[in-house]
Amino acid sequence: MTQQTQVVVIGGGQSGLAAGYHLRRLGVDFVVLDAQSTPGGAWQHTWDSLRLFSPAAYSSLPGRLMPPQPGEAYPGAQHVVDYLADYEKRYELPIQHGVRAHAVHRDGAFLRVETDNGSWRARAVISATGTWSRPFLPTVPGRSVFQGVQLHTVEYRNPQEFAGRRVVVVGGGNSGAQIAADLAYDTELTWATQREPRFLADDIDGRVLFDVATARRRALDEGSSDAGGVASLGDIVAVPPVRQARDAGLLKWSPMFARLTRHGVAWADGTTAEADAVIWCTGFRPVLSHLAPLGLRGPRGHVPTAGTRAVGEPRLHLLGYGDWTGPASATLIGVGRPARDAAREISALLASGH
Ligand code: FAD
C-alpha cells in the first residue's frame, strides 16, 4: 500500500519532533515514522545515572520549556523521555511508532520512502534517525583475543554488575567520564583516553557549549575566522557525579593502551593491566543506511549538506546528526533552529511547485 503526504520525517526522537513542531506551524501535511514502539528516541536506552549536561530550561525543544526535575540541577534520561512523550502529545504530532524506513528512492516528482509497513510518497523527506543505533568501536589489536566482557556505551546500564571487578573504560568524552565516575567507587577502574581528559570549567555546562557553537556557526556564516568552537574549551561537562568522583581523586586517567590481550590490556611500553571488562565509550556514527539508494554519501560517511539540505538532493534534509547538520544540532536546545530552517525551506519548495 502506498500512502501520500507532503513530507515524511524519518525518526521520532528529539530531532524529528522539533521538525514536526515547525512543519505543523507552517501548515505542512506530514507524518513522522519512528522505528521504536514508544516515544523518547535514544533517551530510552541510556545508562541509569546519565545526567543531561545542561539544566532543564536549556534542554528544551521549540515551543515548550522542559520542566525542572525536582531536586536535580541536571535532569536524568527518564525525565527527558517523559518530556518528549508529552511533547508528541501536546503538539498532536502525527507520529507512527513501530515503523522502520528501509529505503528512500527518487520517484519522479516525489521521494518514495519504503517501510516495513508499506511505502510513502512525499515531496520532501527529513532524515532524523540519530546515531544511537550505530555505535562506533575503534580497531584495536586483540579485540577478538580478549576473554573478558566487552560492551559499548549503548549496552551499559549501571555499576552493580561490575562491583569488585577490574574494568577498563575507554574514551575521554562525556560518556566515558560519566561511566568512569559511575564505576569509580566499586570497581578496580582503569580509564584509558587518547589524550588527557579536558574538563570544562565547573561553571561551564551545556548552556555555554550551545552559545559557543552558535557563535562559531555565525562566524563561519559571516566568513570570519573559526574560533574553534566548543572543542577549544574542553570535552567534558563536570556534571555533579563526575565532579564528585574527580574531586575524590577517583578519575585518574591512563593513555590509550596499544592492544588487548587474553586477560587485559597492554601498553606500548610493555605495562599491562588485567581486566574483566572493557567498556567502549567511543562514540557513534550517523544512521544513514536508509538513504543509500539516493547515492549521496560523502567523506567520513556524512552526506554533503548546505545547512540541513542535502546538496545532491534538495528535497532531502538531515537533522540532528551533529555540527555538520547545524551547530549543536545533536542537542535538545540546539536542534530547534536547524529544524525551523529545514521546515521553512521545505515549505518554500512546496509553494514553488518544484
Ligand atoms: P535519536 O534520539 O537517536 O532518535 C532517532 C529516532 O529515529 C529513534 O527513535 C530511532 O529508533 C529512529 N530511527 C532510526 N532509524 C530509523 C529508521 N530507519 N526508520 C524509522 N525510525 C528510525 N543532548 C543534549 O541535548 N543534552 C545532553 O546532555 C546530552 N547528553 C548525551 C549523552 C550521551 C551519552 C549521548 C550519546 C548523547 C547525548 N546527547 C545530549 C545527545 C542526544 O542524546 C542525541 O544527540 C539525541 O538523542 C539525538 O536525537 P535524535 O532525535 O537526533 O536521535
Side-chain angles (χ1 to χ4, degrees):
M1 172 187 69
T2 298
Q3 304 180 68
Q4 192 151 315
T5 182
Q6 287 182 313
V7 182
V8 170
V9 179
I10 304 173
Q14 62 198 48
S15 301
L17 298 185
Y21 170 86
H22 283 294
L23 289 168
R24 184 175 175 277
R25 277 170 68 102
L26 291 166
V28 173
D29 181 35
F30 70 98
V31 67
V32 181
L33 306 176
D34 187 72
Q36 299 191 89
S37 51
T38 46
W43 292 103
Q44 303 171 82
H45 308 298
T46 64
W47 63 93
D48 300 353
S49 68
L50 182 138
R51 287 283 167 277
L52 278 174
F53 46 57
S54 311
Y58 290 82
S59 299
S60 302
L61 289 180
R64 173 122 176 90
L65 261 190
M66 180 186 286
Q69 180 177 346
E72 292 288 351
Y74 296 90
Q78 187 53 48
H79 188 74
V80 182
V81 171
D82 297 344
Y83 167 73
L84 296 179
D86 172 67
Y87 192 92
E88 267 185 47
K89 268 202 223 99
R90 177 174 296 269
Y91 290 107
E92 297 168 338
L93 298 177
I95 186 163
Q96 296 193 11
H97 279 288
V99 178
R100 176 171 295 279
H102 294 295
V104 180
H105 297 272
R106 293 183 180 87
D107 183 354
F110 296 92
L111 291 176
R112 192 176 74 252
V113 179
E114 283 170 2
T115 82
D116 48 13
N117 184 20
S119 55
W120 287 84
R121 288 204 324 169
R123 299 285 313 288
V125 166
I126 295 179
S127 182
T129 49
T131 57
W132 190 262
S133 52
R134 207 171 152 215
F136 171 70
L137 287 170
T139 312
V140 177
R143 278 203 34 225
S144 55
V145 165
F146 178 58
Q147 300 296 301
V149 170
Q150 293 187 66
L151 57 154
H152 183 275
T153 310
V154 297
E155 292 139 318
Y156 176 74
R157 287 293 169 272
N158 59 54
Q160 277 72 14
E161 65 179 286
F162 299 98
R165 298 170 72 190
R166 301 157 302 182
V167 184
V168 178
V169 171
V170 180
N174 282 298
S175 306
Q178 288 197 26
I179 291 175
D182 217 27
L183 292 163
Y185 300 89
D186 299 327
T187 69
E188 197 182 309
L189 173 72
T190 302
W191 182 22
T193 65
Q194 279 177 321
R195 60 180 180 200
E196 183 170 355
R198 299 185 310 151
F199 291 93
L200 289 155
D202 286 359
D203 60 348
I204 287 191
D205 63 26
R207 287 168 278 197
V208 174
L209 304 184
F210 175 64
D211 294 344
V212 169
T214 307
R216 181 173 181 224
R217 174 83 282 156
R218 202 172 298 122
L220 291 171
D221 289 348
E222 288 157 6
S224 38
S225 64
D226 179 1
V230 174
S232 57
L233 286 175
D235 305 306
I236 301 167
V237 178
V239 291
V242 169
R243 202 174 306 174
Q244 281 136 28
R246 181 201 64 194
D247 296 351
L250 295 172
L251 281 190
K252 290 192 180 35
W253 71 284
S254 311
M256 186 55 193
F257 47 86
R259 59 193 169 81
L260 287 99
T261 62
R262 279 179 66 79
H263 301 296
V265 295
W267 281 265
D269 65 2
T271 36
T272 58
E274 297 224 320
D276 303 301
V278 175
I279 302 178
W280 299 94
C281 300
T282 44
F284 300 84
R285 294 293 179 270
V287 176
L288 299 176
S289 59
H290 56 293
L291 301 178
L294 298 175
L296 299 170
R297 294 298 275 272
R300 295 182 39 229
H302 293 175
V303 170
T305 53
T308 56
R309 181 173 21 85
V311 169
E313 177 44 77
R315 298 169 294 182
L316 172 71
H317 285 256
L318 293 102
L319 200 51
Y321 295 108
D323 282 352
W324 60 281
T325 55
S329 64
T331 65
L332 287 147
I333 190 157
V335 74
R337 206 170 70 104
R340 180 201 62 193
D341 296 348
R344 283 180 179 167
E345 277 200 41
I346 288 172
S347 177
L349 177 86
L350 297 173
S352 72
H354 284 107

